[in-house]
Amino acid sequence: MRANYPFNCWYVAATSAEVGAGLFARRMLGKHVLLYRQESGEVVAMEDRCAHRPHPLSTGRRHGDRVACAYHGFEYDPDGRLVDVPSQENVPPGVRVRTYPVREQSPFVWVWLGEPGAAELRLPPRLSWLGADDWPSSMDTFRVEANYLLLHEHYLDLTNVFHMHPDAVPPDLHALPALDEVEVSERSVSYSRLTTATRPAAWEKDVTGVAAEERTARLEEGSFVSPGLHVQRYVVDPHGERPYTVLRIQGFTPESEGVTHAFVRIARDFATSDSAVTAYLQQMFHEMAVRDCAALETMQIRIDEETEPRRNINVKADRAALRARRISRDMVDEESGFSI
Ligand code: FES
């Protein structure tokens, strides 16, 4: 049975910091991928399998920009062409391992494993504030033993925060208002909601300096930008003189149907030179993500145990998540006509 993730989509294969001169192996969309940085700084993504035998190239060695297999030493250039066979003089013509389109937009390295040639038609999402100096940020990565749609769904319905992360909720907020708006395009879903004015949660007070008794609203927006990217925007005092914006940008990359790599970037547009605020937010979002992952992994175990498909009920808060599931399903269905 075909997996429930589309191939024709850009996914984050690694952070820029993970890919250096060494050979870096990552499994994504069920495929083994080798990543490394050429001497020019450009990143190569290549099938992590020697053309001679099924030996991983990532266990081999670099010879300049070439990679030599650790088993019999066959050597490949950055385009995947076989260029040297140490046991004979000539090289069998036309032998190559597959290479994949790569786009680096620091701190993310995006890789396209889909239909060859189609990558140029759809570029990775442009996130202008990702590397911007006026958006101080931190990076975290997780390997979550849960399907990628469980992650999207979790972050598209933040009504779970009252139960999962009660300390992060403003003290006078007892329920989130209904979604103001759910926008759907062919391949994305966005929602937004505005809360009533409340006093700040402890963390909001700590990082923004908003006074404990000051009442302000919150704007919360989330986007399923693609099956590989989720963006959330949280604004304290959105209509005030100085709104405080926190972004959580998450690359979700299926390793397989039951495992997802999550690349989590937290950025903000206030206290821009205060590294203590960066560390505070990093720690807080890390602890929240650990709890989120534990809940998602528990559900994945239940899903795997169920011997027949179970029907889940849905409520209004699931609206955006259901649309995201449908988009992914449509993308997978569209691909059923060709093999990757
Ligand atoms: S398996 Fe790679 S050179 Fe033989």
Side-chain angles (χ1 to χ4, degrees):
M1 201 174 77
R2 193 153 180 154
N4 74 342
Y5 43 76
F7 280 77
N8 280 340
C9 179
W10 287 95
Y11 291 97
V12 178
T15 64
S16 293
E18 284 178 310
V19 185
L23 301 175
F24 180 79
R26 169 123 296 145
R27 189 162 178 241
M28 54 188 287
L29 313 190
K31 295 180 182 293
H32 292 282
V33 178
L34 161 68
L35 297 159
Y36 67 95
R37 203 174 280 281
Q38 296 182 66
E39 284 164 5
S40 64
E42 209 176 316
V43 176
V44 174
M46 186 181 282
E47 186 181 4
D48 192 10
R49 185 204 191 277
C50 185
H52 181 217
R53 294 291 182 272
H55 200 274
L57 292 173
S58 55
T59 60
R61 285 176 298 281
R62 288 277 301 266
H63 287 164
D65 281 342
R66 295 176 173 183
V67 178
C69 178
Y71 199 1
H72 309 96
F74 287 25
E75 229 170 89
Y76 300 87
D77 74 10
D79 292 325
R81 271 188 298 259
L82 178 63
V83 289
D84 189 39
V85 175
S87 58
Q88 62 184 47
E89 273 186 16
N90 62 322
V91 174
V95 177
R96 63 193 310 160
V97 296
R98 188 174 169 189
T99 55
Y100 303 106
V102 179
R103 296 278 184 285
E104 183 169 15
Q105 291 173 5
S106 184
F108 292 152
V109 176
W110 298 89
V111 171
W112 175 276
L113 298 193
E115 205 178 348
E120 297 307 321
L121 304 176
R122 297 185 206 149
L123 295 173
R126 289 211 69 78
L127 304 169
S128 54
W129 17 256
L130 258 184
D133 290 343
D134 49 351
W135 285 90
S137 53
S138 61
M139 189 81 211
D140 214 347
T141 56
F142 297 87
R143 182 177 178 275
V144 193
E145 295 191 355
N147 183 264
Y148 79 109
L149 286 176
L150 288 180
L151 278 83
H152 277 295
E153 197 166 70
H154 180 82
Y155 293 105
L156 282 170
D157 171 21
L158 284 189
T159 55
N160 64 57
V161 293
F162 294 96
H163 311 282
M164 300 278 300
H165 314 295
D167 293 347
V169 179
D172 313 313
L173 196 63
H174 304 297
L176 284 176
L179 300 178
D180 295 326
E181 205 178 321
V182 176
E183 278 182 23
V184 183
S185 75
E186 193 189 353
R187 296 193 187 274
S188 66
V189 181
S190 303
Y191 72 83
S192 67
R193 54 159 61 100
L194 189 66
T195 72
T196 51
T198 68
R199 289 174 296 156
W203 73 271
E204 293 172 326
K205 184 168 64 65
D206 291 348
V207 300
T208 64
V210 168
E213 292 309 314
E214 192 176 339
R215 290 179 173 272
T216 59
R218 314 281 181 290
L219 174 68
E220 192 227 325
E221 295 176 331
S223 289
F224 166 96
V225 180
S226 77
L229 184 69
H230 198 113
V231 176
Q232 288 168 290
R233 184 165 165 257
Y234 185 81
V235 189
V236 177
D237 200 13
H239 307 307
E241 232 166 70
R242 178 68 182 91
Y244 303 91
T245 302
V246 179
L247 294 171
R248 176 160 54 181
I249 304 124
Q250 304 196 84
F252 293 147
T253 305
E255 175 182 297
S256 60
E257 187 128 2
V259 179
T260 304
H261 293 284
F263 303 88
V264 186
R265 184 83 166 177
I266 305 295
R268 68 181 190 282
D269 69 348
F270 56 88
T272 53
S273 51
D274 192 340
S275 57
V277 171
T278 308
Y280 185 112
L281 289 172
Q282 180 172 23
Q283 181 65 21
M284 184 186 84
F285 280 102
H286 177 84
E287 288 170 8
M288 289 166 79
V290 168
R291 288 197 290 276
D292 293 340
C293 292
L296 297 171
E297 290 182 343
T298 301
M299 286 197 291
Q300 185 65 54
I301 290 170
R302 287 297 175 92
I303 291 168
D304 293 343
E305 283 172 355
E306 288 173 353
T307 51
E308 52 193 55
R310 294 288 300 270
R311 210 175 147 73
N312 298 316
I313 65 140
N314 294 302
V315 295
K316 286 180 188 158
D318 296 314
R319 212 150 46 112
L322 290 173
R323 302 306 293 258
R325 279 190 177 270
R326 185 180 303 170
I327 288 169
S328 296
R329 198 169 54 235
D330 288 350
M331 290 175 76
V332 171
D333 287 348
E334 266 175 33
E335 293 178 1
S336 56
F338 64 87
S339 56
I340 302 293

